[in-house]
Amino acid sequence: MPNNRDMPSHEDKAWATFKTPLDKNSLLEFCQDVERLLRINPYLVFKKWEKIGEQLYYFHVVNHSQTPVFKIERNFKVRTNTNGLEISYNQGLKSSTTFFVEAISGGSKLTITENYQTLTEDERIARLHEVDKSLIKWAKEIQAFLLHWQRWSWLPFWRYYMQYVWQPMNPIARRVTYALLWISAFEVALVALGAIIYFIEYR
């Protein structure tokens, strides 16, 4: 489970740290897909995503981590390094998000840090509605995704489905699809059970 601080402190940052089953190099490679990292966040509903330059992107999302929800529309720059990457935003309360990868026994560790503008106490209180409260849930979802990635990514069909079907979906569509798959699996199991009973009774 992620260790974390999910609200900006007097240091104007929030962070979450968790272990992953991937080795450091594999986790670094995984993190290079910034769009996938952001779309894993279950509180973000994407309206538009666009690459507008070298390591420069634009996105428009609706953030459901607070009530009422709030829109985020901005450009950001991605800078990679030997231990991860940093996303720098051109505007907004949040100034950057960093992904720091460390090697540990049996896998790796990922620390996500969200840095906020340095504000006075009054300014911080006045802009609390702009705080992204999704960090902890996002970290849990990335950790769960990586566990599935470690187990199933060797299957070409699974990789295709996750990249071209699951990833573009909004969070609610993913939940509906997941529920429908379980219902379908249950129905198939009932049919199989009926067939087995019929075979036993009337063979």
Side-chain angles (χ1 to χ4, degrees):
M1 296 295 290
N3 298 316
N4 59 77
R5 172 170 292 178
D6 62 352
M7 286 291 291
S9 67
H10 63 281
E11 298 177 312
D12 295 306
K13 64 175 61 178
W15 64 89
T17 300
F18 56 91
K19 297 178 181 178
T20 91
L22 278 63
D23 60 58
K24 180 179 179 180
N25 289 335
S26 296
L27 182 56
L28 284 170
E29 181 180 356
F30 182 90
C31 289
Q32 299 307 304
D33 190 337
V34 178
E35 181 181 2
R36 176 173 55 193
L37 285 175
L38 294 173
R39 284 185 179 271
I40 290 174
N41 190 324
Y43 287 114
L44 299 184
V45 175
F46 279 71
K47 299 299 184 180
K48 189 171 183 180
W49 171 274
E50 184 179 356
K51 185 173 183 179
I52 57 178
E54 183 64 28
Q55 297 297 305
L56 186 63
Y57 302 86
Y58 162 85
F59 74 154
H60 178 197
V61 301
V62 179
N63 191 315
H64 289 257
S65 68
Q66 289 210 57
T67 302
V69 302
F70 59 99
K71 295 180 181 179
I72 301 174
E73 187 174 1
R74 64 191 57 155
N75 298 341
F76 63 87
K77 178 80 172 180
V78 177
R79 297 179 178 85
T80 59
N81 55 61
T82 56
N83 292 308
L85 59 90
E86 178 182 57
I87 300 173
S88 299
Y89 307 100
N90 69 329
Q91 58 181 323
L93 184 61
K94 190 190 304 182
S95 58
S96 66
T97 302
T98 62
F99 297 83
F100 182 74
V101 176
E102 300 174 81
I104 61 172
S105 177
S108 57
K109 183 169 67 173
L110 179 61
T111 299
I112 307 172
T113 303
E114 296 187 327
N115 298 288
Y116 288 81
Q117 296 179 22
T118 301
L119 303 174
T120 66
E121 188 65 27
D122 289 342
E123 289 175 318
R124 186 180 294 114
I125 293 173
R127 300 184 67 178
L128 280 177
H129 64 284
E130 298 179 49
V131 174
D132 183 356
K133 295 184 178 181
S134 67
L135 176 59
I136 304 313
K137 181 63 175 176
W138 183 26
K140 291 178 181 178
E141 292 295 319
I142 292 177
Q143 186 180 42
F145 191 103
L146 290 171
L147 288 171
H148 291 300
W149 182 265
Q150 176 76 355
R151 181 175 300 175
W152 301 111
S153 63
W154 60 276
L155 291 170
F157 172 78
W158 188 88
R159 294 173 69 100
Y160 181 91
Y161 173 82
M162 295 304 292
Q163 182 175 357
Y164 296 106
V165 180
W166 183 91
Q167 185 171 303
M169 287 182 179
N170 284 330
I172 189 170
R174 294 172 189 165
R175 291 192 291 270
V176 170
T177 301
Y178 182 77
L180 290 175
L181 287 174
W182 271 107
I183 291 170
S184 299
F186 181 71
E187 290 175 343
V188 169
L190 285 179
V191 171
L193 179 61
I196 292 172
I197 293 173
Y198 178 85
F199 178 77
I200 293 174
E201 291 290 333
Y202 299 101
R203 62 179 180 174

